[in-house]
Amino acid sequence: MVFRGLLWGLLVLSGAWAQNGSPGFQPSFIYMSGSTVTASLAGSPADVFSLSVADNETGMLPLEDCSGRNRTGDWRLNVTSQGNVSTVTVLLTRHLQLCTPNRTGCCTEALCVVAALQVSACRDSAVVARLLIRAEIYANTSSGNGTDNATVIPNQVYQPLGACPCNLTAGACDIRCCCDQECTPEMKQLFSGSCFTGVFGGDTNPPFDQLCSVQTGIHTPDWFPFLCVQSSMNNTPFLGYFYHGSTTSSETSSFKVLFQPVPGTPLSGYKQGDPIVTAENEYFAVPQPFLAGQCARDAPVAFLRDFAVECLATCEDGRSLLPSVAIDTGTGDHINPLVTYEKQTTNVGSCASDACENVTFAEDYTIVWEGRRIVEVKVTVLLGEICPEDTLRQRFTVTFVSVNATSTEELSGNPGYQVGKPVRAASLNSSVTNLALWKPDGGGLCMSENVTPILFGWNAISGCLLEVDLKENCSQLRENVTGTLNSLVRGNLVGRRGNSNSSIPDDWVEIIRLDTFDPSSNTSAGIVKGLCPGVPAHLNIQIFTADVGAVEGVPQEEILGVQISFSTITWQVQCPLVCEDEPGFLPISAAVQFIKIPAQPPVPKTRFQINYTEFDCKRNDVCWPELFYPLTRFYTGEPYSQSLAKGLVLVFFILIAVLLSDPGRRICGMLNKT
């Protein structure tokens, strides 16, 4: 399990963050839960594809594999090429049925296959791209031959799915479970006086508290006879359906929620994360990738959320997707994007047929904003030609720029930080920079990795493989690792706000280093050769934030403090005696966590909320704030006219009951005397 956890961590660190690096597989990392996965390779011509599986004991994958092997164990690799695009398919060839008596080649456990695979694309005996696959495949529990072993699930409208919930052990009697059919009468006599009650004990259709026939004694409220439910036992929250009518979700059915007259139209400007809409009340869309790795062509653009993505497209899909409609500024006005077209020269002389003209290579959107509205939209479109059989790699970027931003410095908010903007850092008398994490490319080595800024509000983890010279002692190794990790923290100050000024000391907070690691504190080379204790392999970055107010109703977040610390491990060389001439690899990682601190304590509960919890709408089905909910138009259990008529009749009877009660007679007597 330790190696499995390390293996999954290495897979995520190596592939999950690769978005805008060198050309490679799309996607570069796949979580596999079925028997087949597919990925595409474009822009990196390869002549050899190899499939390898991680070692079960060490959990390691080969860094260089150009053997051309397409079968290994129960796995098979298929490759098809069209133009400059290669499609690879990895298949599992074994059966996924659970084992039955007298059957072999089956799954002994529900989690049938756990493995890590790597597809290497090589050209001239050099790896140009890698595809990492994490496979967790469960056994198929359905019966494929239609025999009598198929499980028949009864209709839950008429009978419970589990008639005896306390029967937890198959083939044995469960103590105090009187509905367990495996318990003999002699066994039940041992605990007949202490059997489980209620639904858990087998009473799957008990009378519910809202029935008028249920008498709860002194705990029955005074209004119970007026609001109880007259229903048969077949209509119950434990069994069956209450009503076969139209239903609405809880978010839109509450009559306390204000209804927007025009859905999708911003009423008072955009907030961060709100989708931008057009003048025709539709989403302003730019292609963006989703979880499966493909791109959604109609993905909406969120306000103040920058992104830069790449998508694969064919000749037909590569036409310009730029919408020609005006964009809603957020205040009711409309603006038209300012579009600039540029031409890219491409060599399409060797096409099998006529070239595809005016296809989009890139679209760069610059959206200028002020407060909660959009001021201007600029678009730069790069057009060119491709062959019909080729696959195009398109680039789409969306950048939000404040109207007050200068060309020399980009702010991360004004005044508070915006979620998704870089965390600003600096040193004394130095320019403003950013805290960073690694952004792995295809190789995964620390020396060749790029870095990406830490984005405010987004927890993240990344890592790489540090090449280690086995001739170094442990002290040198600790010093190299510490220097590599400290290179991510560029400065000793962090901006308190998104618009922190480098010339104002109060706009910055100092980075606190917990248990500062001294690489020379332990100069021992280790008791055993190839074993180094106390190696700082993980950097923890904790950023404490808080809401400090609001500007035009938008909460403003600030950074209160930043602290970093190291986590150490004991690193052992895999082959310390025979691999001295070959470098070793040490996986190191860094993680950032945003911790929000309440700016003020929560509102204390009133005495009524503490003592009368049965009237709390969040805990109970019956509560006073929604007493008149059936009289509103959000109630869809019956026509509105009928519910209104029944409500008025109910109010009439309540008034009669009040007048005939003892306090009512006293009030009437006092009125007659006057």
Side-chain angles (χ1 to χ4, degrees):
M1 295 300 293
V2 175
F3 286 113
R4 182 186 299 176
L6 175 61
L7 178 60
W8 294 155
L10 288 175
L11 288 177
V12 174
L13 297 179
S14 301
W17 281 61
Q19 292 181 356
N20 300 318
S22 59
F25 282 102
Q26 292 289 336
S28 60
F29 173 78
I30 298 178
Y31 176 83
M32 182 177 184
S33 60
S35 59
T36 305
V37 291
T38 303
S40 299
L41 175 64
S44 296
D47 50 15
V48 176
F49 292 84
S50 304
L51 175 65
S52 56
V53 181
D55 187 88
N56 291 331
E57 297 182 358
T58 63
M60 301 300 293
L61 286 166
L63 293 178
E64 302 290 339
D65 184 9
C66 296
S67 61
R69 181 175 57 249
N70 59 2
R71 294 185 67 94
T72 173
D74 297 328
W75 302 94
R76 188 174 79 246
L77 172 66
N78 294 336
V79 181
T80 58
S81 300
Q82 182 179 3
N84 62 345
V85 177
S86 299
T87 302
V88 298
T89 303
V90 178
L91 305 95
L92 177 64
T93 58
R94 64 169 296 180
H95 295 289
L96 294 175
Q97 293 292 336
L98 278 175
C99 288
T100 57
N102 301 326
R103 184 173 182 177
T104 59
C106 52
C107 301
T108 58
E109 297 180 356
L111 184 55
C112 187
V113 178
V114 177
L117 300 94
Q118 176 180 265
V119 178
S120 302
C122 304
R123 183 173 181 83
D124 298 332
S125 300
V127 177
V128 295
R130 290 184 178 89
L131 168 64
L132 299 176
I133 302 174
R134 169 184 173 178
E136 287 187 0
I137 306 175
Y138 286 82
N140 185 6
T141 57
S142 62
S143 178
N145 53 7
T147 62
D148 295 337
N149 295 329
T151 302
V152 179
I153 300 178
N155 190 344
Q156 202 174 356
V157 176
Y158 306 105
Q159 55 184 330
L161 186 60
C164 188
C166 60
N167 184 8
L168 304 177
T169 306
C173 176
D174 291 272
I175 306 301
R176 297 183 59 192
C177 186
C178 294
C179 61
D180 192 345
Q181 299 297 326
E182 280 121 3
C183 295
T184 62
E186 293 78 9
M187 294 179 180
K188 293 182 181 180
Q189 290 180 357
L190 300 176
F191 48 84
S192 59
S194 57
C195 295
F196 290 115
T197 59
V199 177
F200 186 71
D203 187 8
T204 56
N205 193 15
F208 51 101
D209 297 338
Q210 289 80 11
L211 279 178
C212 296
S213 58
V214 175
Q215 300 295 332
T216 57
I218 60 176
H219 300 290
T220 303
D222 298 335
W223 45 264
F224 181 79
F226 297 100
L227 297 180
C228 63
V229 177
Q230 289 283 2
S231 176
S232 65
M233 291 305 297
N234 293 330
N235 226 5
T236 164
F238 304 100
L239 188 66
Y241 299 129
F242 268 101
Y243 181 72
H244 293 276
S246 58
T247 58
T248 55
S249 63
S250 58
E251 296 180 357
T252 58
S253 62
S254 176
F255 62 91
K256 294 187 245 182
V257 178
L258 295 178
F259 180 75
Q260 294 186 355
V262 182
T265 301
L267 300 178
S268 58
Y270 296 106
K271 294 185 297 183
Q272 186 179 22
D274 289 348
I276 299 177
V277 297
T278 64
E280 298 180 356
N281 200 19
E282 296 180 351
Y283 289 133
F284 176 65
V286 173
Q288 300 174 49
F290 52 93
L291 293 179
Q294 291 81 10
C295 285
R297 297 285 166 174
D298 54 353
V301 177
F303 186 64
L304 298 182
R305 294 284 174 84
D306 298 348
F307 64 85
V309 300
E310 290 185 350
C311 298
L312 298 179
T314 61
C315 176
E316 296 297 329
D317 297 334
R319 306 293 181 182
S320 177
L321 302 173
L322 183 65
S324 59
V325 297
I327 297 176
D328 195 316
T329 62
T331 57
D333 299 330
H334 301 145
I335 57 175
N336 293 313
L338 302 178
V339 185
T340 302
Y341 292 96
E342 298 179 357
K343 190 73 173 180
Q344 177 172 323
T345 304
T346 55
N347 184 14
V348 293
S350 59
C351 293
S353 59
D354 295 337
C356 292
E357 299 179 351
N358 294 329
V359 295
T360 301
F361 282 79
E363 290 183 3
D364 300 322
Y365 296 80
T366 302
I367 302 178
V368 183
W369 62 277
E370 180 181 17
R372 303 180 65 172
R373 68 187 185 94
I374 296 175
V375 178
E376 187 180 16
V377 178
K378 301 178 181 179
V379 186
T380 301
V381 182
L382 182 62
L383 301 177
E385 299 178 354
I386 63 171
C387 294
E389 63 272 13
D390 292 340
T391 299
L392 175 65
R393 183 186 293 271
Q394 296 177 309
R395 187 189 75 248
F396 299 94
T397 63
V398 174
T399 305
F400 287 86
V401 180
S402 174
V403 70
N404 299 323
T406 62
S407 58
T408 59
E409 182 179 0
E410 174 114 12
L411 303 180
S412 296
N414 189 16
Y417 273 100
Q418 297 173 7
V419 176
K421 291 291 186 178
V423 175
R424 297 159 60 85
S427 299
L428 294 177
N429 302 323
S430 65
S431 60
V432 177
T433 180
N434 302 311
L435 300 180
L437 292 176
W438 287 296
K439 179 181 178 181
D441 59 8
L445 296 179
C446 297
M447 300 302 297
S448 60
E449 301 301 337
N450 298 321
V451 293
T452 182
I454 292 177
L455 303 181
F456 183 83
W458 289 5
N459 298 335
I461 182 172
S462 70
C464 59
L465 296 176
L466 181 64
E467 188 172 346
V468 179
D469 188 355
L470 300 184
K471 297 179 181 179
E472 296 179 354
N473 57 34
C474 292
S475 178
Q476 293 174 331
L477 175 61
R478 298 188 192 98
E479 185 175 356
N480 293 339
V481 175
T482 304
T484 304
L485 293 175
N486 283 331
S487 65
L488 300 176
V489 184
R490 306 172 178 178
N492 55 2
L493 300 174
V494 171
R496 187 186 301 272
R497 293 177 291 274
N499 63 347
S500 298
N501 193 329
S502 58
S503 61
I504 302 177
D506 292 341
D507 285 357
W508 303 84
V509 295
E510 185 176 358
I511 299 176
I512 301 175
R513 297 177 179 267
L514 299 179
D515 301 328
T516 303
F517 184 80
D518 185 5
S520 61
S521 60
N522 185 358
T523 58
S524 173
I527 301 176
V528 181
K529 185 178 181 180
L531 185 68
C532 285
V535 178
H538 184 75
L539 175 64
N540 304 290
I541 304 176
Q542 293 181 322
I543 302 178
F544 300 90
T545 66
D547 290 337
V548 294
V551 175
E552 296 184 0
V554 179
Q556 301 296 311
E557 295 188 69
E558 291 186 0
I559 293 178
L560 303 182
V562 179
Q563 67 180 20
I564 65 174
S565 61
F566 294 95
S567 299
T568 60
I569 63 170
T570 299
W571 182 69
Q572 182 178 6
V573 182
Q574 297 297 328
C575 45
L577 298 178
V578 297
C579 299
E580 292 186 356
D581 295 334
E582 297 292 335
F585 295 96
L586 170 64
I588 61 177
S589 59
V592 58
Q593 180 185 15
F594 288 85
I595 303 174
K596 194 168 186 178
I597 301 176
Q600 58 184 4
V603 179
K605 293 184 178 181
T606 63
R607 184 178 301 176
F608 179 83
Q609 292 175 325
I610 297 175
N611 297 334
Y612 298 95
T613 57
E614 64 270 18
F615 303 129
D616 190 350
C617 295
K618 296 182 179 179
R619 303 182 184 179
N620 304 279
D621 295 332
V622 179
C623 58
W624 283 108
E626 294 189 356
L627 178 62
F628 295 99
Y629 172 73
L631 302 181
T632 65
R633 294 189 178 274
F634 294 100
Y635 176 67
T636 59
E638 57 186 352
Y640 178 71
S641 57
Q642 295 184 15
S643 61
L644 180 62
K646 294 179 181 179
L648 295 177
V649 172
L650 178 62
V651 172
F652 173 76
F653 281 112
I654 292 176
L655 292 176
I656 295 297
V658 170
L659 294 176
L660 296 180
S661 62
D662 185 64
R665 290 196 299 269
R666 292 182 181 180
I667 294 175
C668 292
M670 294 176 60
L671 293 177
N672 293 332
K673 290 181 181 180
T674 58

